[in-house]
Amino acid sequence: MNFVKKLFQDLAALLFPNLCSGCGTDIYHGEAFLCSKCLFTIPYTDYHLHPDNKVAKQFWGRIPFNMAMALLYFKKGGKVQNIIHSLKYRNQTGLGVKLGEMIGDRLSLASGYMDIDLIIPVPLHKKRKSSRGYNQSELIANGISSALNVSVNSDSLIRTTITDTQTKKGRYMRFENMKTVFSVKNRENLTGKHILLVDDVITTGATIEACAIELHKCGIKKLSIAAVAFAE
Ligand SMILES: [Zn+2]
């Protein structure tokens, strides 16, 4: 998508909030953030039903974890990319909560996620959070929380350094960059707990891996992972 088109869509989203975040068409009374057509046709993974899914395989041998899933497949230029863009840059806070509820509804049907004690969003650095106004992963976590009736802890895991946009870095540099980015405050609040770690999009898994290493230092019981989208 070129810059002008993107800018126009961002403006349209501000001026006409009743447009679908997936396809940009008008949405009707009773629909929220996504039109019915998108809700039925966006590419769901059903990974919550398949423990050996591609997100889980991404983390095999890298970190100890219980379950891992993402709600949707992310493809460049597809509707899911529009949804993620709306979530991150168009101030669509309600969309984040809705996507979280969609994840939570699925996790409530999957046995591996039933004993979660605490939901922790991947944190933004506080400077980035204040310039964006919200942490999109926290919104997703709040939606999962209301569907599962499990509380969110968004102040124990913190991001201590701002990372540059990582898209142009090689895989190894991305991992090296993430090593010292996160830390945990009040570790005792996490000890012995089954934690659900929540992110917006999983690509290389470097962010999740770095968070998981810090969480495991607190003596957590189990770690599970959930995201809105998975980019292969
Ligand atoms: Zn739509």
Side-chain angles (χ1 to χ4, degrees):
M1 201 186 306
N2 68 43
F3 176 74
V4 176
K5 191 176 170 197
K6 211 164 208 163
L7 188 68
F8 178 76
Q9 287 187 347
D10 287 347
L11 266 173
L14 273 175
L15 296 170
F16 312 108
N18 290 330
L19 298 178
C20 171
S21 299
C23 68
T25 60
D26 287 317
I27 52 176
Y28 299 101
H29 190 68
E31 295 175 331
F33 308 104
L34 293 167
C35 71
S36 305
K37 190 179 173 201
C38 281
L39 267 181
F40 281 106
T41 57
I42 48 178
Y44 295 102
T45 63
D46 285 333
Y47 281 174
H48 61 292
L49 302 174
H50 304 285
D52 295 347
N53 63 64
K54 286 183 179 175
V55 173
K57 284 179 184 167
Q58 176 87 287
F59 295 110
W60 283 357
R62 288 166 66 181
I63 46 169
F65 69 98
N66 173 53
M67 298 293 240
M69 63 80 75
L71 178 70
L72 298 162
Y73 293 106
F74 181 101
K75 284 204 182 73
K76 263 203 154 157
K79 286 178 177 176
V80 177
Q81 185 177 26
N82 295 340
I83 292 168
I84 296 294
H85 183 80
S86 293
L87 177 63
K88 287 173 85 161
Y89 305 113
R90 289 184 188 148
N91 209 28
Q92 297 228 341
T93 51
L95 173 65
V97 177
K98 182 186 173 71
L99 292 163
E101 287 167 353
M102 289 163 72
I103 293 172
D105 288 343
R106 283 161 177 80
L107 299 190
S108 68
L109 305 171
S111 59
Y113 298 90
M114 276 178 183
D115 58 344
I116 291 164
D117 298 306
L118 206 55
I119 303 166
I120 296 188
V122 168
L124 289 181
H125 190 272
K126 59 176 188 265
K127 279 188 185 158
R128 188 157 286 168
K129 184 177 171 182
S130 76
S131 67
R132 185 173 295 173
Y134 58 93
N135 172 4
Q136 68 279 4
S137 297
E138 204 174 319
L139 302 172
I140 301 160
N142 289 340
I144 299 175
S145 168
S146 70
L148 291 185
N149 204 16
V150 172
S151 49
V152 176
N153 176 326
S154 52
D155 45 27
S156 286
L157 180 65
I158 53 167
R159 192 184 287 247
T160 52
T161 39
I162 292 192
T163 43
D164 297 331
T165 175
Q166 302 207 329
T167 42
K168 290 196 174 64
K169 292 201 177 82
R171 198 178 170 95
Y172 178 73
M173 278 309 293
R174 274 196 293 240
F175 284 107
E176 281 303 298
N177 253 24
M178 295 309 290
K179 266 186 180 169
T180 56
V181 170
F182 300 100
S183 73
V184 179
K185 292 193 299 186
N186 306 320
R187 291 165 172 250
E188 64 281 1
N189 292 343
L190 311 186
T191 305
K193 302 257 164 72
H194 179 185
I195 308 275
L196 180 70
L197 180 61
V198 174
D199 204 357
D200 50 4
V201 185
I202 293 175
T203 43
T204 63
T207 304
I208 292 283
E209 181 179 355
C211 289
I213 288 167
E214 293 305 312
L215 293 173
H216 277 298
K217 286 179 187 168
C218 307
I220 63 171
K221 183 170 77 182
K222 277 192 277 189
L223 178 75
S224 292
I225 296 155
V228 169
F230 173 58
E232 289 182 76

